[in-house]
């Protein structure tokens, strides 16, 4: 029989997690969390993952929770280990990904007294979590009851807010004592449903039905077929334009999905003509800076935001906060709205078709470059793949193309950092049977190379690495090029190849530096018969990618 911890509070935490249907535990090695590790790893009711690097471990957990839309536990030892969780915690906070942060700690009287691996862990993530608590080490009945209520409150907040919560657990030695007895048993833990304020559907529908120009902008959103159907209904109205990005994960030929192409270099009068009377934003972060500038410079009469977690005033004109479940609100709202005679959709669609024609002409003649590579690889994604896009240049290139409709798309746009893209994709691949494809840049990949330090690296993981020799985004965003240190301190040019990493971590590897071989390589690359994760490195170091991208946008004008 497998050993359990003989510490009542450890069994209490584990049983409370199980009672709340939490299964996945991402563990990093350490001594102070040894009792927790033994408890979780020896209980077959949990699915445990061992990830050595805590920063990577937290992003792996984020990728699991992002895919499953269920809470995932991360558990580490004391000291800087807990601090290394912070980048993923902030991403989870702003993207509403439920992480349960379980940190082992030294006893409280040792904090700030120069004991090893001891920092101020209590409330460490307070600014970027929905709940923070510290359990007591005592194991009398009253204390156990209080600890259980604290854990329950943490799980309730995590599920209701779909975000990170922190449970800090001090441990005094000894903490490796074991038993085969089940010392704590907890029945099913019921998490109450989140309550929402009342919404005046009738008042909103009256305003909607009067307006002749309605713009619906959908930001970051998980794949949801029902949500897609509801937005389809909104789009069947000539007075409504639905703008989306690849990370919106909704599809309809009426939706306008390449926003930057359309509004780039339009005159002020043209933009004013496209200005909506009502702007309805749904979901989270929007990547396009151009659409943000358009709306800020040409503000609508009304801006409504629909989301059950956040009500950000992104465009500085928000006047209707619809704090409600998106699907439920739309189900209630749609029966009261009527199509409106208008040429608003026609205005947008005419520009779209003009810019799309120019796009196709330019791409066809474009030289080998990052832009050309994205055109080729996006068309090849196998059906039903999970596609993770890296940040900076990668996600911006992806927005310029039609992405296959059967795939689900992810990108860490909560804080938009490059630090955990690979680890997040690893987490997704860990819990999905479908192919998981990470498209990433070289700086992001190198930054998170410890993501490959995983003895159970998923075999269905595919990494397409666009290696342009540095942070190319600093060549085409305003500012860095005007300095005389762009190459060393912004772009950070290099001549590194990644075949050594592939060999070290046991991945199949291909490298190419032209577009002629890409189709043949991708057929082999996507195949899962070899039973190993794979990297395809595409070298565009010698190409003036920023110049080609600027030429592309000039051609669209």
């Amino acid at each position: 029989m497998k050993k359990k911890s003989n510490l009542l509070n450890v069994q209490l935490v584990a049983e409370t997690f199980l009672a709340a249907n939490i299964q996945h535990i991402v563990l990093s090695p350490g001594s102070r969390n040894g009792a927790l590790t033994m408890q979780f790893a020896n209980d077959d009711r949990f699915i445990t993952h061992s990830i050595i690097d805590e920063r990577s471990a937290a992003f792996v957990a984020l990728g699991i929770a992002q895919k499953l839309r269920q809470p995932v536990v991360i558990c580490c030892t004391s000291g800087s280990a807990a601090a290394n969780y912070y980048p993923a915690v902030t991403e989870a906070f702003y993207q509403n990904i439920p992480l349960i942060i379980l940190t082992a700690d030294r006893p409280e009287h040792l904090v700030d007294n120069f004991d090893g691996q001891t920092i101020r862990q209590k409330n460490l993530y307070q600014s970027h979590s929905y709940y923070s608590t510290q359990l007591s080490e005592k194991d009398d009945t009253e204390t156990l009851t209080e600890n259980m209520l604290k854990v329950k409150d943490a799980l309730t907040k995590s599920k209701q807010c779909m975000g990170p919560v922190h449970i800090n657990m001090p441990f005094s030695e000894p903490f490796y004592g074991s038993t085969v007895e089940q010392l704590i048993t907890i029945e099913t833990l019921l998490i109450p449903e989140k309550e929402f304020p009342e919404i005046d559907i009738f008042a909103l529908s009256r305003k909607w039905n009067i307006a002749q120009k309605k713009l619906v902008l959908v930001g970051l959103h998980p794949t949801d077929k029902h949500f897609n159907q509801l937005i389809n209904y909104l789009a069947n109205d000539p007075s409504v334009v639905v703008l989306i990005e690849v990370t919106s994960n909704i599809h309809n030929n009426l939706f306008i999905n390449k926003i930057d192409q359309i509004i780039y270099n339009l005159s002020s009068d043209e933009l004013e003509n496209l200005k909506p009377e009502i702007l309805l934003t749904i979901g989270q972060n929007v990547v396009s800076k151009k659409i943000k500038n358009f709306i800020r410079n040409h503000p609508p009469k009304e801006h409504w935001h629909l989301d059950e977690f956040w009500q950000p005033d992104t465009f500085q004109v928000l006047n209707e906060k619809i704090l409600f479940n998106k699907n439920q609100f739309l189900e209630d709202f749609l029966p009261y709205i009527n199509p409106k005679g208008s040429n608003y959709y026609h205005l947008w669609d005419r520009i779209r078709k003009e810019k799309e024609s120019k796009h196709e002409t330019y791409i066809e003649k474009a030289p080998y470059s990052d832009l050309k590579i994205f055109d080729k690889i996006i068309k090849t994604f196998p059906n039903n793949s999970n596609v993770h896009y890296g940040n900076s240049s990668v996600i911006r290139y992806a927005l310029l193309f039609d992405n296959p409709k059967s795939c689900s798309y992810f990108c860490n746009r909560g804080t938009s950092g490059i630090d955990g893209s690979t680890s997040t994709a690893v987490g997704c691949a860990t819990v999905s049977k479908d192919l998981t494809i990470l498209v990433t840049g070289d700086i992001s990949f190198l930054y998170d190379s410890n993501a490959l330090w995983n003895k159970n690296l998923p075999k269905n993981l595919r990494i397409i690495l666009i290696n342009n020799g540095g942070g190319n985004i600093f060549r085409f965003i305003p500012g860095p090029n005007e300095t005389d240190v762009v190459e060393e301190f912004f772009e950070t040019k290099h001549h590194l190849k990644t075949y050594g990493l592939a060999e070290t971590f046991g991945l199949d590897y291909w490298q190419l530096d032209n577009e002629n071989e890409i189709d043949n390589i991708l057929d082999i690359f996507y195949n899962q018969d070899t039973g190993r994760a794979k990297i395809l490195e595409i070298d565009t170091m010698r190409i003036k990618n920023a110049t080609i991208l600027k030429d592309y946008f000039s051609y669209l004008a």
Side-chain angles (χ1 to χ4, degrees), residues 113-169:
N113 282 316
F114 286 20
D115 201 56
Q117 288 184 259
T118 308
I119 65 171
R120 298 176 184 177
Q121 281 181 214
K122 187 177 180 180
N123 300 323
L124 179 62
Y125 316 100
Q126 191 168 29
S127 295
H128 295 94
S129 62
Y130 289 96
Y131 184 84
S132 185
T133 191
Q134 178 159 299
L135 304 187
S136 172
E137 287 193 79
K138 297 177 182 178
D139 60 4
D140 58 90
T141 302
E142 183 178 351
T143 301
L144 288 169
T145 301
E146 289 177 358
N147 283 348
M148 187 185 74
L149 291 174
K150 288 179 179 180
V151 176
K152 180 183 177 182
D153 287 345
L155 301 184
T156 298
K157 280 291 186 182
S158 186
K159 287 196 173 186
Q160 288 185 346
C161 299
M162 291 294 283
V165 296
H166 179 208
I167 303 170
N168 195 49
M169 288 189 70

Side-chain angles (χ1 to χ4, degrees), residues 260-279:
D260 284 2
Q261 283 181 15
I262 294 177
I263 61 177
Y264 177 76
N265 216 31
L266 293 180
S267 70
S268 181
D269 288 343
E270 288 173 311
L271 290 172
E272 186 67 21
N273 201 29
L274 295 178
K275 181 180 77 172
E277 297 167 45
I278 296 176
L279 169 68

Side-chain angles (χ1 to χ4, degrees), residues 347-362:
L347 289 173
W348 282 87
D349 192 46
R350 177 181 55 79
I351 299 171
R352 168 171 62 171
K353 289 173 179 175
E354 291 172 359
K355 295 293 182 78
E356 180 63 25
S357 177
K358 289 183 177 182
H359 166 86
E360 291 176 358
T361 300
Y362 187 91

Side-chain angles (χ1 to χ4, degrees), residues 42-65:
N42 284 341
D43 192 330
D44 294 335
R45 294 172 295 175
F46 289 110
I47 302 170
T48 54
H49 313 269
S50 178
I51 307 292
I52 297 169
D53 181 332
E54 284 88 3
R55 187 182 69 186
S56 177
F59 277 106
V60 168
L62 184 139
I64 295 172

Side-chain angles (χ1 to χ4, degrees), residues 500-534:
L501 286 172
E503 183 178 4
T504 296
F505 293 116
L507 285 78
D508 291 338
Y509 174 86
W510 291 265
Q511 189 269 341
L512 58 83
D513 58 6
N514 64 79
E515 63 185 277
N516 299 325
E517 304 172 50
I518 194 166
D519 292 328
N520 291 333
I521 288 179
L522 284 173
D523 286 341
I524 304 169
F525 178 73
Y526 290 134
N527 191 292
Q528 299 200 54
D529 289 347
T530 61
R532 298 208 300 181
K534 304 178 184 181

